[in-house]
Amino acid sequence: MMQDQDRTLYDQLLPLYEKADFDTQLTFLTPNLSNSERLLIKMEIRRLMSPFLRPIDLRGKVQGECRSYTLSGLTHWMDDVALNLYHRRLDVYQGQLTQGLWDELHNTPNSHRVLQRTGNAQASPQENFVSLDADALRFGHYLLRSEHRIQLNSQVQVFLPDGTEVNGTTLDISNSGMRIKLPAAFQYDVGTVLTVYFPQLGDECQIPELFTGLDYRLVGIEINLVKDNFRRLRLRLTTSTEAIKEAIDVKSKTVDINTITENKDKLISTRTRSYEKIYLEKTPSLPLFFCGSALRYCLLTEQNRELWDYWHDERNQPVIDRLFSPERLQNLALEGLNCSETLVYCFSHEHTDKTYFFSAFPTEMSTELRHLFWHIGSARPSWRVLRVTMTKISEEDAIRLQEVSPAYIHQIDELTHIATIQDLTLEHSNADFRYPVKPKIPAKSLNQYVHPRTGISAIEAVPSLLAPQRKEPRYKHRTGATLIHHVSGEIQAQTVDFSSSGLNLKLSRPFSGTKAQEVAITFNDFRRIDPKAPLGNVPYKVVRISEDRTNVTLVLIQDRHSRHRSEYLQRLIDHNQHRLTLDSEKMPDPPLVEAMHQMLLTRLSATPYFLCRKGDNLQLATVGINYPGNELSRLLESPSQQGLVSLSPVLGEHIAKLSASILRQRNRLTQIKHEFYVAVQFENNAVIDIKARILESFASPEERRFFVSQARKKGKFFAVRNWLQPINEGGQYLNSAVVEEIMMQSSLKARQLEGEFIDLCVYGEMTDVTDEVLLRL
């Protein structure tokens, strides 16, 4: 077979074989070759052009479905890749089936021979190598079908806008659209118009119009679950015709056609919803829901609970609403503005057992005040840099959510805005805020940014997971107790509810302590009944204090005696079940939570991605996006193939090393954060070069500043925050009932879907922090 470096020469000489001027053209095209070398070329061309009179049978030799074709008077078995290659190369071999064409058809990219040879060449891949290209997955958008379609495998001829002919097959077809499978070797652009001929369907149904070509618009390229050499395209009919409807009516009368009557594509929607579940559970962003100027709901997960707990005072009461003063809300939620974004710098200060929160937007401070705020705040453990993204809830949201939560449409209608808070704090870069010279102005100048300590707002913290949040049941019961605190002294109390390790007390006078302090509790009435009970001076830790300080929630301190006390309380509960009233946990309303999820999925403030393990290696499974995407998502678009995204421009070779720290068995990290500096160069509005460096690779802030200045001078600078967390048991995110329905239709697709989620091991999230980095540098 000819080598790739000789292909151009042979393609010029093969059409001239046995022509009168062949020797002249050979000499002209090979001026630097000797006569003996030219003789070898003539012998190879003679071999390649020798007639091949046997049929081609690729069944079992390629990845793909082979069908019978009658070509050059012989019946051949070829797949779509080979058929396209046959038509494309036939003119080179003077319209005849020759030995050279036979060789090419048996060495297509999807042939087992080539795949095996390629695999041997890559037999020793780099350890933990990561494939960073994958299909993008649109979050919050599900494919709905408004008409029936039938499963139909029929040969089609497709002409691309540039006139290229591509042979493929239909997968299913409806009156106004269809899905087809075409070889991946060609470029397919969403939005272009393709001309499709139906020779097989026209012959079977005797409809002449199917031979004339119908125009279809390419509306989507599907996720490639099979990982073969084909692209599955979704097309919409643009030609006004009844020919397809007539063909469907004819084919529907046959017994071997299965009519699809479902209203949605279960496979695509199940896959999308499962990835969305992972995102909603793993993202560290904190969503807040507003009703006008009042903060109504906060959606809590295990990952954003730390940020939620940060905004609690010394009584463990939520004060995050103070971050959104009426003046700030007026600027963030301006009339006519659908989305706004701002940075927030904040820290807390302890004074006389009270917690005071300071926060400031960059637009609220002069340069001197900002540098003073940075110097004082960044040196504290409580320093935080947040980004707040405020979006308006539109009429389209309400209309779309009527189907999701019809019973809660009134509550949803009351909501006006959604704020998403992202924690951009990176301990490694906190020193950056102290590089500017500290202004010589008094620290009390920052008192204007302290939050007021007026009444506590009723903010409902809604768990994102519809599962019990309590570790154990609580029981309502009133009995006398005494609380002893080193500051408040001895306070008489009554129990409100209790469990084996928790306690809720109503106090006779206000408690002057703070959260996390220790108190001693004596259960007076219990001890009168059983003087030997280990219920005297029991050490508890304060969890929460009511606004008026007359109600405290406590948890039993774990020490060498706590197990004995907890077991005694549990026996007490077990023996008196008939006298105790269970304090039922109030669960969130599923339709309301579903509505919140749907609103968040169409408002991604970060770019989530998912890694899976294939043997000893990692590869990118998919990336979640919204349309239209932000600048970061457009930067990740693969230049080689439309519809794919790639993490290579930003993460490159770093992703394997970073993922190892959260995948190893020993000394495993639960999450990691890193920052990347990216320099992008453009030419004619197209990206020509991308250079990315991890923050730790810079020796000094001056080197970072130089990198940023050069990047902005030559093109554009991006700063990206990358956040990683392990995924345990990815299969749990699949809806087992829907997977069983898919299994009834296609067991292969169901197994592939299950295998994909079982292999998931890493959740990642990238955030564009360019504005924050440029401000502090």
Side-chain angles (χ1 to χ4, degrees):
M1 183 179 177
M2 73 181 77
Q3 301 298 318
D4 291 339
Q5 61 268 24
D6 300 328
R7 181 177 293 275
T8 302
L9 174 63
Y10 281 94
D11 284 353
Q12 292 176 292
L13 294 174
L14 288 171
L16 303 176
Y17 180 66
E18 293 186 342
K19 297 292 178 66
D21 59 344
F22 177 80
D23 291 333
T24 304
Q25 290 295 328
L26 175 60
T27 304
F28 176 76
L29 294 173
T30 57
N32 299 324
L33 299 183
S34 62
N35 290 332
S36 59
E37 290 173 325
R38 292 192 183 101
L39 178 60
L40 292 175
I41 292 176
K42 290 178 66 175
M43 293 174 61
E44 176 63 14
I45 290 178
R46 185 181 296 112
R47 186 190 73 83
L48 294 174
M49 290 301 296
S50 60
F52 194 90
L53 304 178
R54 290 180 296 168
I56 299 172
D57 190 351
L58 299 180
R59 289 176 292 183
K61 300 177 182 179
V62 296
Q63 284 188 350
E65 181 184 356
C66 293
R67 290 175 294 276
S68 62
Y69 298 93
T70 301
L71 304 169
S72 302
L74 297 174
T75 300
H76 308 278
W77 287 88
M78 291 188 288
D79 67 321
D80 292 335
V81 175
L83 181 63
N84 279 282
L85 180 66
Y86 176 86
H87 288 298
R88 193 168 67 249
R89 301 288 292 173
L90 189 62
D91 289 342
V92 176
Y93 291 96
Q94 300 182 18
Q96 301 177 10
L97 180 58
T98 65
Q99 181 67 47
L101 184 55
W102 187 93
D103 289 344
E104 290 193 35
L105 294 174
H106 280 75
N107 287 275
T108 54
N110 66 323
S111 70
H112 295 313
R113 180 187 304 176
V114 172
L115 292 174
Q116 184 178 9
R117 185 166 63 244
T118 306
N120 292 336
Q122 301 175 348
S124 301
Q126 185 180 1
E127 185 179 3
N128 289 332
F129 172 79
V130 183
S131 174
L132 296 179
D133 293 339
D135 295 281
L137 197 61
R138 185 177 180 182
F139 277 12
H141 175 79
Y142 311 110
L143 177 64
L144 299 179
R145 291 178 177 168
S146 57
E147 58 188 7
H148 299 325
R149 60 174 64 184
I150 62 171
Q151 293 175 333
L152 178 67
N153 292 324
S154 179
Q155 299 169 23
V156 292
Q157 294 174 330
V158 180
F159 284 85
L160 304 181
D162 61 357
T164 303
E165 180 184 353
V166 184
N167 290 274
T169 56
T170 61
L171 297 173
D172 52 55
I173 190 169
S174 68
N175 297 344
S176 61
M178 66 176 173
R179 286 195 311 140
I180 61 174
K181 183 175 72 171
L182 298 178
F186 299 91
Q187 179 72 27
Y188 308 106
D189 297 325
V190 175
T192 57
V193 176
L194 312 178
T195 302
V196 183
Y197 294 81
F198 300 85
Q200 182 180 350
L201 189 61
D203 186 58
E204 293 174 351
C205 302
Q206 296 298 309
I207 301 176
E209 192 174 353
L210 297 179
F211 294 98
T212 61
L214 304 178
D215 289 339
Y216 281 82
R217 185 176 300 279
L218 176 56
V219 296
I221 303 175
E222 289 190 357
I223 306 298
N224 191 356
L225 291 176
V226 185
K227 302 300 180 188
D228 53 19
N229 291 295
F230 297 94
R231 303 291 283 172
R232 290 156 181 82
L233 313 181
R234 298 199 305 273
L235 306 178
R236 180 180 298 144
L237 181 65
T238 59
T239 301
S240 178
T241 178
E242 295 292 325
I244 297 297
K245 183 179 180 180
E246 295 174 9
I248 291 176
D249 291 340
V250 173
K251 298 298 292 185
S252 296
K253 296 176 182 178
T254 60
V255 296
D256 59 336
I257 296 294
N258 296 322
T259 302
I260 302 178
T261 59
E262 62 187 4
N263 292 323
K264 61 182 178 181
D265 190 315
K266 286 188 173 61
L267 180 64
I268 297 177
S269 63
T270 300
R271 184 175 185 265
T272 303
R273 291 179 187 273
S274 300
Y275 276 114
E276 290 173 349
K277 282 184 183 178
I278 302 176
Y279 161 74
L280 291 167
E281 182 177 327
K282 300 293 185 181
T283 180
S285 301
L286 182 67
L288 305 174
F289 297 83
F290 286 83
C291 179
S293 60
L295 178 54
R296 182 66 59 85
Y297 301 108
C298 173
L299 195 62
L300 284 184
T301 68
E302 286 300 318
Q303 302 307 321
N304 65 27
R305 188 174 294 274
E306 182 179 352
L307 184 55
W308 165 252
D309 291 341
Y310 172 84
W311 290 103
H312 282 64
D313 62 9
E314 75 282 351
R315 298 163 296 183
N316 203 15
Q317 292 291 339
V319 294
I320 193 171
D321 59 303
R322 314 284 170 75
L323 184 62
F324 301 94
S325 64
E327 295 79 12
R328 289 175 175 176
L329 277 176
Q330 188 176 3
N331 293 327
L332 285 172
L334 284 174
E335 187 67 29
L337 192 65
N338 291 326
C339 182
S340 61
E341 188 176 281
T342 186
L343 294 173
V344 183
Y345 302 107
C346 47
F347 64 91
S348 61
H349 173 65
E350 304 293 333
H351 179 66
T352 62
D353 287 336
K354 294 181 180 179
T355 303
Y356 294 88
F357 288 90
F358 292 75
S359 69
F361 291 5
T363 55
E364 299 173 344
M365 299 182 288
S366 63
T367 303
E368 280 193 331
L369 277 175
R370 185 169 71 244
H371 289 170
L372 179 64
F373 200 100
W374 287 357
H375 270 274
I376 293 177
S378 62
R380 298 169 178 264
S382 61
W383 173 252
R384 295 291 186 276
V385 181
L386 309 178
R387 172 188 284 149
V388 177
T389 304
M390 182 78 76
T391 57
K392 183 181 178 181
I393 298 177
S394 62
E395 295 180 3
E396 289 78 7
D397 289 316
I399 295 173
R400 187 165 55 88
L401 294 172
Q402 283 180 354
E403 297 182 2
V404 178
S405 307
Y408 290 85
I409 195 62
H410 178 66
Q411 290 93 320
I412 297 170
D413 282 342
E414 292 179 346
L415 299 177
T416 58
H417 291 83
I418 301 175
T420 303
I421 301 182
Q422 296 170 278
D423 188 355
L424 306 185
T425 315
L426 193 64
E427 186 177 352
H428 186 75
S429 61
N430 279 354
D432 289 358
F433 295 99
R434 298 189 290 276
Y435 285 128
V437 178
K438 185 176 181 180
K440 295 181 179 180
I441 54 178
K444 64 181 181 181
S445 303
L446 301 183
N447 288 344
Q448 58 183 305
Y449 304 111
V450 68
H451 292 187
R453 288 181 55 86
T454 51
I456 301 297
S457 299
I459 308 169
E460 185 175 347
V462 180
S464 182
L465 285 179
L466 299 174
Q469 303 297 305
R470 294 177 179 175
K471 297 181 180 179
E472 57 185 6
R474 303 176 188 176
Y475 296 90
K476 296 180 180 179
H477 184 67
R478 287 193 170 275
T479 186
T482 301
L483 180 147
I484 301 176
H485 181 244
H486 68 281
V487 175
S488 304
E490 186 175 299
I491 305 176
Q492 297 303 312
Q494 287 276 334
T495 60
V496 178
D497 60 64
F498 76 105
S499 65
S500 60
S501 59
L503 183 62
N504 187 358
L505 290 180
K506 181 67 176 177
L507 307 179
S508 60
R509 59 184 175 86
F511 176 71
S512 57
T514 62
K515 65 181 180 182
Q517 289 185 343
E518 293 186 16
V519 297
I521 303 296
T522 298
F523 296 86
N524 302 325
D525 294 345
F526 289 163
R527 293 205 55 173
R528 290 193 190 100
I529 299 173
D530 183 3
K532 296 183 180 180
L535 300 179
N537 292 323
V538 181
Y540 276 86
K541 183 174 69 175
V542 178
V543 174
R544 176 167 296 183
I545 307 167
S546 65
E547 187 178 358
D548 61 3
R549 292 185 170 274
T550 60
N551 187 276
V552 292
T553 305
L554 311 168
V555 63
L556 188 65
I557 292 178
Q558 299 298 321
D559 58 17
R560 59 191 182 94
H561 303 293
S562 61
R563 181 178 177 182
H564 178 49
R565 293 162 178 154
S566 179
E567 289 177 349
Y568 184 89
L569 287 171
Q570 187 60 52
R571 289 197 302 271
L572 190 66
I573 292 171
D574 294 339
H575 293 158
N576 295 276
Q577 286 278 0
H578 60 288
R579 298 180 180 179
L580 300 175
T581 303
L582 180 65
D583 183 17
S584 301
E585 180 180 359
K586 184 181 178 180
M587 298 293 294
D589 299 306
L592 185 61
V593 176
E594 177 67 16
M596 291 179 175
H597 286 168
Q598 288 301 310
M599 287 188 282
L600 292 175
L601 291 170
T602 56
R603 293 170 169 84
L604 294 181
S605 54
T607 303
Y609 62 91
F610 309 84
L611 301 178
C612 60
R613 192 193 300 275
K614 296 295 184 182
D616 294 332
N617 301 332
L618 295 176
Q619 74 176 36
L620 180 65
T622 191
V623 176
I625 59 172
N626 284 157
Y627 288 112
N630 53 29
E631 280 193 292
L632 177 59
S633 63
R634 289 191 288 270
L635 181 66
L636 299 178
E637 291 178 359
S638 175
S640 59
Q641 194 166 2
Q642 185 173 3
L644 291 184
V645 291
S646 175
L647 302 185
S648 298
V650 177
L651 302 182
E653 74 276 6
H654 299 285
I655 187 65
K657 183 178 179 180
L658 297 180
S659 301
S661 60
I662 62 173
L663 292 176
R664 60 193 177 203
Q665 297 299 320
R666 300 181 63 182
N667 302 321
R668 184 181 187 182
L669 301 178
T670 56
Q671 58 175 288
I672 57 172
K673 291 188 289 186
H674 288 86
E675 197 168 279
F676 290 85
Y677 286 10
V678 185
V680 184
Q681 294 186 37
F682 299 89
E683 185 175 298
N684 297 326
N685 294 325
V687 176
I688 60 172
D689 184 51
I690 299 178
K691 182 180 180 181
R693 291 183 61 178
I694 195 168
L695 181 63
E696 290 79 1
S697 67
F698 294 96
S700 65
E702 290 72 22
E703 185 181 353
R704 277 188 283 148
R705 288 195 184 97
F706 180 76
F707 181 90
V708 173
S709 64
Q710 292 297 307
R712 300 180 73 185
K713 187 180 299 182
K714 298 178 181 179
K716 196 163 187 178
F717 168 75
F718 288 89
V720 179
R721 182 70 48 79
N722 187 62
W723 191 88
L724 291 176
Q725 184 197 1
I727 296 177
N728 299 317
E729 300 180 6
Q732 64 179 314
Y733 298 99
L734 282 172
N735 187 324
S736 57
V738 179
V739 172
E740 289 181 3
E741 293 181 16
I742 298 175
M743 183 77 71
M744 299 293 292
Q745 297 180 2
S746 173
S747 59
L748 175 62
K749 291 182 178 179
R751 288 195 301 270
Q752 289 171 344
L753 189 62
E754 288 179 330
E756 178 181 358
F757 278 84
I758 290 173
D759 291 339
L760 289 178
C761 58
V762 176
Y763 170 79
E765 191 172 292
M766 286 193 294
T767 304
D768 186 348
V769 295
T770 307
D771 52 350
E772 190 271 327
V773 170
L774 291 177
L775 191 57
R776 67 173 140 94
L777 288 182

